[in-house]
Amino acid sequence: MGKTLDNVYKHQSLAYKYFLYLVSVGLIVFFFPKGGKFKYEFQKGKPWQYENLYAPIDFSIKKTQEEIAQEQQLLRNRKTDYYSFDASIVTTIKNDVQQELNGLFEANSFSRQEQRVLSNTAEEIIDSIYTLGVFQNLPSSSAIMLVKNNEAIPLDPNEFKGIEEAKERISSILGQRNFQGDARLGNILQRNVRPNLSYNEALTNKALEEELSKISYTRGEVAQGRLIIAKGEVVEAENFKILNSLKDEYESELWRGNNYYFILLGYTILVALVLIMLFLFLKRYRNEIFKNNNKVTFIFFNILLMVLATTFTVKQYESYVYVVPLCILPLVLKNFFDARLGLFVHVLTVLILGFVVPNSFEYIFLQIIAGIVTILTASELYKRANLFISVGQITLIYIIGYFAFHAIHEGNLENIEWVLFGVFVLNGLLTLFAQPLIYMFEKIFGLVSDVSLLELSDTNSKLLKELSDKAPGTFHHSLQVANLAEAAANEIGANAMLVRVGALYHDVGKMERPTYFTENQITNVNPHDDLPPRESAKIIIDHVINGIEIARKNNIPDRVIDFIRTHHGTTLVYYFFKKQQELEAEVNSDDFRYPGPIPFSKETAILMMSDAVEAASKSLKNPTFTIIDEFVDKIVKGQMQADQFLNANITLKEIEMVKKVLKQKLTNIYHLRVEYPE
């Protein structure tokens, strides 16, 4: 039972990776749109690369979105406007006219016969004018339907009648009758004329919707067995539409029935292969990342984030797929890891998305080129200008690439979708979000970016200010070590910013008891003179433990604390070890040995060499080129013989290069000059 638990504990990291792998594959396949994949790839203006294609089934030729939109716009332009006839207004007008006539009759002597004639004439004229009604303003549309007594009557444009036309009609009728009382009756009628036709928006829209619903989304049928396209034939406009129709029909039919499970299996296998490639790359070329479950989780989280964002966009707004800022992925990974890993993960993510997006070849080509440009141009992201320049170049690549593909497909520069240029610009603006995203990832996953390292390298930070106040000699020593280590890191291609920050903080533990370290002793009094060697050694060794505790209290990242842990490795406090040997015959060397661990990276190895060389160089008297050369060789050789670099991925050649830089820097520090003859 104990062995079983021990094995489980030893393999829990690997088990977690298996779990992460399976969950990632499942989620990616789940995100995919539910549809099959057409087995032929084709582009407009390109020759058909396959054998003669015959229609495998009967299918309809679908109209393009542009054709449907044009038909819809044509119907909207030609829509019929509906106007409602208000009979109550006609009745009101008749009553108002009769009242005015009654007033006219009372004021003047009209016989009953004349009164009856005037009233009848007025009513006849009103009925004549309002047979089809009167508009407030003449409508611009030529297609008008008049809704009267629940019946829709079409109106001819010649029958349209506004207020002015109605008044002219009154004068015309009275003139034709040669009626003696026409002037006074005409004035009364013209004064009371008002519109009774109102625009019926609800009925108009309903009729338009009915017309729009009648639009056919297909234009013809292709019978099974008909030759669609021959091998080598150029895919032109008509063939392109037929092939797209067949593709849509094929993919929708493919997902039905038992085909569902086979398609799901195919997607799962392909996605699983892509993610296996990622694991193999990490295992072989980035083993330190592969061993760190936190970092592996971070990489997979970013892949899933981009897949989710892209698949959601494809499902909801397919034409805006390029708005997803996929170049954030290589930007972020390069910032936390390295350019090679960033590009590799970006390419694998694009390959996965190739199953989802329309025009997959065009998408994959543009995204890979944009990712390469990102890797080549994005450097030192803590400098704001660099990020803006990189994003500008990425946006330009998208625009140039789209322009080129459009020219290939269409053979001209017409019908360019200018809205896509706006999409590319929006993509660039969203890519700028990489900066705050990096900050959030640092907090969530406990990683360290160059931006954080730059902040930590500020000597005015709280902890470094405290170090300079309490232990000024140690602070000055740390600055010198930082300069040496940074130069050495640049020489061998290590992370110079990380080494510099590690060097600045590697001795913060000396703040606890600064006077016990020679660089902080400003008098000839040495407190170690009153202590036994074993206790003095313990004080010296404890500065590593104290440094780790102080760094943690000040929220220094673990990646920087690693330099505090390893800068002495498992070396001896040699001075006090020798003093103890003078007092005792048998001395346990473990009492005088730093707890370790030994350096495990190029950066921590560089710091160990730089720290030892800088500290020991203070004992040099009258140094010369030869003395410095032998001095550096001796110190580094001692560290190598003590097996301090066994776990660090640093080569002998790189160690020699580091030694060369340290010798040059010490020569400059001591201002050595060639001695000229007198």
Side-chain angles (χ1 to χ4, degrees), residues 305-513:
L305 186 65
M306 289 302 162
V307 171
L308 174 61
T310 306
T311 51
F312 174 80
T313 305
V314 169
K315 290 178 182 178
Q316 302 298 325
Y317 314 100
E318 185 178 284
S319 56
Y320 295 100
V321 65
Y322 286 103
V323 82
V324 179
L326 206 62
C327 288
I328 281 182
L329 186 60
L331 266 177
V332 169
L333 294 181
K334 180 184 178 182
N335 188 74
F336 284 114
F337 304 115
D338 60 84
R340 188 178 177 187
L341 175 61
L343 182 59
F344 190 82
V345 173
H346 176 74
V347 170
L348 292 182
T349 306
V350 171
L351 290 177
I352 291 173
L353 293 175
F355 301 128
V356 179
V357 297
N359 300 321
S360 56
F361 173 77
E362 178 180 331
Y363 179 85
I364 291 172
F365 181 89
L366 285 178
Q367 294 293 10
I368 289 179
I369 292 297
I372 293 172
V373 170
T374 303
I375 292 298
L376 293 177
T377 60
S379 60
E380 299 179 326
L381 288 184
Y382 53 84
K383 297 179 180 179
R384 289 171 294 179
N386 288 0
L387 181 60
F388 279 96
I389 293 170
S390 180
V391 166
Q393 291 172 329
I394 293 168
T395 305
L396 184 62
I397 286 296
Y398 278 127
I399 291 173
I400 293 173
Y402 166 73
F403 181 83
F405 272 108
H406 181 84
I408 292 171
H409 293 163
E410 300 295 333
N412 55 57
L413 301 182
E414 298 175 3
N415 302 320
I416 288 181
E417 296 183 41
W418 296 103
V419 69
L420 278 178
F421 291 96
V423 169
F424 294 139
V425 172
L426 182 57
N427 178 293
L429 294 176
L430 290 175
T431 305
L432 292 174
F433 189 68
Q435 198 72 278
L437 199 62
I438 287 170
Y439 175 78
M440 288 189 287
F441 284 151
E442 285 180 335
K443 301 305 178 185
I444 295 171
F445 291 94
L447 301 173
V448 182
S449 69
D450 286 349
V451 179
S452 294
L453 291 175
L454 182 67
E455 293 174 356
L456 290 169
S457 68
D458 183 7
T459 54
N460 289 315
S461 64
K462 179 184 176 183
L463 186 55
L464 291 181
K465 285 285 287 183
E466 188 179 355
L467 177 64
S468 67
D469 292 338
K470 291 184 178 180
T474 299
F475 177 72
H476 180 72
H477 158 72
S478 298
L479 286 176
Q480 293 281 44
V481 173
N483 292 332
L484 292 174
E486 183 179 20
N490 282 323
E491 183 70 19
I492 68 170
N495 190 331
M497 179 69 76
L498 179 61
V499 172
R500 180 172 184 83
V501 173
L504 289 174
Y505 289 89
H506 79 283
D507 271 344
V508 291
K510 292 181 179 179
M511 286 194 299
E512 291 291 312
R513 307 178 82 169

Side-chain angles (χ1 to χ4, degrees), residues 261-314:
Y261 301 103
F262 287 103
I263 293 171
L264 204 62
L265 177 63
Y267 276 146
T268 303
I269 292 172
L270 291 175
V271 173
L273 284 174
V274 171
L275 295 185
I276 284 175
M277 295 304 106
L278 176 57
F279 269 122
L280 291 176
F281 176 84
L282 293 176
K283 184 73 174 68
R284 181 161 186 174
Y285 298 107
R286 298 293 183 274
N287 197 41
E288 70 281 2
I289 296 176
F290 180 79
K291 292 177 180 177
N292 190 318
N293 283 343
N294 184 51
K295 292 179 179 179
V296 174
T297 304
F298 172 71
I299 293 170
F300 273 77
F301 174 81
N302 277 276
I303 294 173
L304 289 173
L305 186 65
M306 289 302 162
V307 171
L308 174 61
T310 306
T311 51
F312 174 80
T313 305
V314 169

